[in-house]
Amino acid sequence: MNKKILALVMGCALASGCSSIVSKSDYAVAINSNPGGASFVITNRDGQKVESGVTPSTVTLSSSSGYFKGESYTVVLQKEGYSEKTYTLTSSIDGWYFGNILLGGLIGMLIVDPATGAMYNLPERADISLDANTASAPNGELRIATLDSLSEDQKLALVKI
């Protein structure tokens, strides 16, 4: 009888980790843009490309980049006629991680959840608005001038910002 109780206690101690039981370490994240149809590339904190595609799309990302280290991602969106947009996705501490105080104990809090990455979570979605390009010139020509190269009439038409 004592061996069964000891085995049960050891099994619970080794398998405990509140976030590991309730949460996960890989998350499906919806990537949306306004307007849709933008191409995107996602890189992790080390600069490695982890995903790419066209919005709207759902990608699976890991919430952890190592022991006690949450992951962050850079999403770069591009679409013809719009300025390139950069968006950062950052993991945060999963609320279930603090359940270790009651259920998982120190093993769950210091070993299991940090090692599995379950102590972190990612947002379910990233909704990113793109800005239309505003710089335009006739015939695709852009002319840059210095103040001293302008005529007096052109200088009078300038508006101070």
Side-chain angles (χ1 to χ4, degrees), residues 135-143:
S136 63
N139 302 326
E141 181 181 301
L142 179 63
R143 188 176 300 167

Side-chain angles (χ1 to χ4, degrees), residues 33-39 77-85 128-135:
S33 67
N34 184 16
S39 62
L77 292 103
Q78 294 179 324
K79 182 173 174 98
E80 177 109 15
Y82 293 85
S83 299
E84 181 178 282
K85 187 79 165 231
I128 306 158
S129 293
L130 300 175
D131 301 318
N133 284 338
T134 56

Side-chain angles (χ1 to χ4, degrees), residues 54-76:
V54 176
T55 62
S57 184
T58 300
V59 297
T60 301
L61 301 172
S62 177
S63 60
S64 172
S65 67
Y67 188 70
F68 272 110
K69 194 185 244 185
E71 185 63 275
S72 63
Y73 296 96
T74 301
V75 183
V76 178

